[in-house]
């Protein structure tokens, strides 16, 4: 246990994710018509979330502008500063179709996610860019600890000893379920390469159509530049994140890890990836 976190069933959790939440979430009632966005932190959750919100309101900008993200999205894991009720309590009262979100590893997520088979959108991102993005998130997020040096942080990421647990465990779990009818496994790097195609995939998977001729507008709305400049999305109003230390919408790139990983860290990480992912077939574009 540290000032910021503790380990529960082998996974490090910020103190803000209280035991009460972890217990209640396991038996949370999932609905068949829920849409679940599941990610390891820093994989592009906020990006996919914006796509889902926009699709859910028929890609209508005026309707989108009236939506408060924290009301539309039920992020189960955390009692965020300013929230007066646990998210699982609020979510249980919301009308369908709900958009649910979690970063929890399989052992802690609601058991009914497997039995009720809601629509699950899983977004994966290459772990080297996640490492860098998460490093800055540790600096700017007031609820988790700041590492003094990149090297110290890198070791913790390598060991799977950061909040949320191992990147490998979570991604393998969902990769192994990628062919389930109710699972859409996406990659951040594919979203960077061809956002329009990924938006169409999500739209068809969920059944929230992009109106005829509007795809370009949706792509534009969900572009990094647009999201970075939108105060409703970019966390500038968040009490949890000090954007003067590092903006939430930081760089949005593939390959930024090259500015941080030393040659030996990169070699060690490649070896670890090879060991952990051997035979899985899960590969990423790293640049
Ligand atoms: P970087 O720190 O590498 O810039 P999450 O929402 O899961 O916490 O992920 C945050 C990461 O997704 C950040 O990565 C952020 O910049 C990136 N991101 C958010 N919106 C994006 C967009 N529209 N296009 C590309 N990257 C985006």
């Amino acid at each position: 246990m540290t000032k910021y976190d503790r380990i529960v069933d082998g996974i490090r959790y910020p103190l803000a994710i209280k035991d009460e939440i972890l217990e209640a979430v396991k038996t949370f009632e999932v609905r068949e018509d829920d849409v679940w966005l599941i990610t390891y932190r820093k994989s592009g959750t906020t990006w996919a979330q914006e796509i889902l919100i926009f699709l859910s309101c028929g890609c209508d900008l005026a309707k989108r502008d009236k939506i408060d993200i924290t009301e539309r999205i039920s992020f189960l894991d955390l009692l965020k500063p300013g929230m007066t009720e646990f998210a699982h309590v609020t979510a249980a009262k919301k009308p369908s179709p709900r958009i649910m979100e979690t970063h929890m590893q399989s052992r802690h997520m609601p058991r009914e996610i497997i039995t009720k088979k809601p629509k699950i959108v899983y977004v994966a991102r290459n772990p080297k860019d996640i490492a860098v993005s998460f490093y800055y998130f540790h600096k700017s997020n007031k609820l988790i600890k700041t590492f003094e040096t990149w090297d110290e942080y890198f070791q913790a990421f390598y060991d799977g000893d950061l909040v949320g647990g191992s990147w490998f465990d979570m991604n393998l779990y969902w990769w192994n379920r990628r062919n389930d009818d109710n699972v859409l496994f996406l990659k951040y790097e594919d979203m960077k390469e061809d956002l329009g195609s990924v938006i169409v995939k999500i739209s068809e998977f969920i059944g929230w159509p992009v109106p005829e001729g509007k795809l370009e507008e949706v792509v534009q709305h969900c572009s990094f530049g647009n999201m970075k400049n939108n105060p409703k999305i970019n966390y500038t109003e968040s009490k949890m994140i000090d954007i003067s230390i590092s903006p939430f919408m930081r760089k949005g790139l593939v390959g930024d890890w090259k500015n941080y990983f030393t040659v030996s860290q990169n070699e060690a990480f490649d070896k670890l990836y090879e060991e952990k992912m051997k035979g899985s077939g899960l590969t990423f574009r790293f640049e």
Side-chain angles (χ1 to χ4, degrees):
M1 175 136 174
T2 70
K3 191 174 144 206
Y4 292 97
D5 51 41
R6 83 272 188 221
I7 296 190
V8 184
D9 303 333
I11 296 173
R12 192 170 287 284
Y13 278 102
L15 297 180
I17 301 186
K18 299 177 189 311
D19 290 346
E20 195 177 345
I21 298 180
L22 290 173
E23 266 320 300
V25 162
K26 284 185 199 158
T27 54
F28 178 77
E29 269 186 51
V30 172
R31 298 182 198 153
E32 283 163 15
D33 59 2
D34 282 341
V35 173
W36 282 76
L37 175 59
I38 305 182
T39 55
Y40 189 86
R41 286 173 180 77
K42 313 321 290 173
S43 300
T45 324
T46 313
W47 195 4
Q49 168 184 290
E50 190 53 34
I51 296 170
L52 288 172
I53 293 178
F54 206 41
L55 289 174
S56 77
C57 61
C59 307
D60 182 321
L61 264 181
K63 280 191 189 152
R64 166 63 190 98
D65 275 348
K66 289 196 193 104
I67 292 175
D68 175 342
I69 293 178
T70 48
E71 274 174 30
R72 183 64 185 100
I73 302 277
S74 300
F75 177 62
L76 268 198
D77 307 20
L78 190 62
L79 188 65
K80 289 187 188 167
M83 274 166 63
T84 51
E85 188 174 64
F86 286 121
H88 58 268
V89 177
T90 315
K93 298 182 235 167
K94 285 189 181 171
S96 292
R98 301 179 300 188
I99 305 177
M100 306 295 306
E101 225 173 80
T102 183
H103 296 310
M104 288 199 190
Q105 298 261 358
S106 56
R107 80 188 73 154
H108 286 145
M109 71 190 184
R111 295 187 188 114
E112 285 191 357
I113 283 190
I114 298 304
T115 55
K116 288 270 178 78
K117 296 189 175 298
K119 290 252 168 26
I120 296 169
V121 177
Y122 185 81
V123 184
R125 183 183 190 187
N126 86 69
K128 295 181 189 176
D129 282 328
I130 287 199
V132 174
S133 184
F134 208 7
Y135 176 58
Y136 281 98
F137 194 63
H138 276 78
K139 286 182 185 293
S140 61
N141 188 319
K142 296 172 192 162
L143 304 180
I144 53 180
K145 84 171 197 176
T146 295
F147 284 83
E148 291 299 322
T149 64
W150 161 257
D151 288 349
E152 187 198 343
Y153 164 85
F154 174 82
Q155 193 57 49
F157 185 75
Y158 181 94
D159 293 338
D161 190 22
L162 293 175
V163 293
S166 158
W167 177 90
F168 294 102
D169 290 352
M170 184 155 183
N171 282 277
L172 269 180
Y173 180 87
W174 286 105
W175 177 245
N176 289 334
R177 278 160 183 75
R178 69 192 179 284
N179 294 324
D180 291 3
D181 288 347
N182 65 319
V183 174
L184 180 66
F185 189 99
L186 300 173
K187 291 180 186 167
Y188 178 98
E189 293 73 22
D190 295 340
M191 293 165 72
K192 283 293 293 184
E193 198 165 298
D194 185 355
L195 184 56
S197 300
V198 176
I199 288 171
V200 169
K201 248 191 210 169
I202 298 175
S203 147
E204 288 172 352
F205 174 70
I206 298 178
W208 289 340
V210 177
E212 188 76 32
K214 274 219 164 187
L215 184 58
E216 237 351 274
E217 199 182 307
V218 185
V219 169
Q220 171 54 28
H221 177 76
C222 299
S223 67
F224 183 75
N226 193 52
M227 286 180 57
K228 190 177 172 71
N229 289 326
N230 186 336
K232 281 187 159 176
I233 301 175
N234 65 15
Y235 284 85
T236 43
E237 291 161 4
S238 165
K239 295 191 183 83
M240 204 168 62
I241 292 164
D242 185 345
I243 57 134
S244 68
I245 297 175
S246 176
F248 185 90
M249 299 286 170
R250 204 181 52 89
K251 289 191 181 174
L253 297 176
V254 180
D256 189 36
W257 63 270
K258 289 184 177 175
N259 297 316
Y260 295 85
F261 279 55
T262 63
V263 171
S264 65
Q265 284 171 343
N266 191 36
E267 282 171 5
F269 197 83
D270 282 346
K271 204 159 158 250
L272 180 70
Y273 190 98
E274 181 57 32
E275 277 165 29
K276 296 262 190 192
M277 298 311 230
K278 206 179 174 106
S280 71
L282 177 56
T283 56
F284 286 91
R285 190 159 64 75
F286 284 91
E287 48 194 273

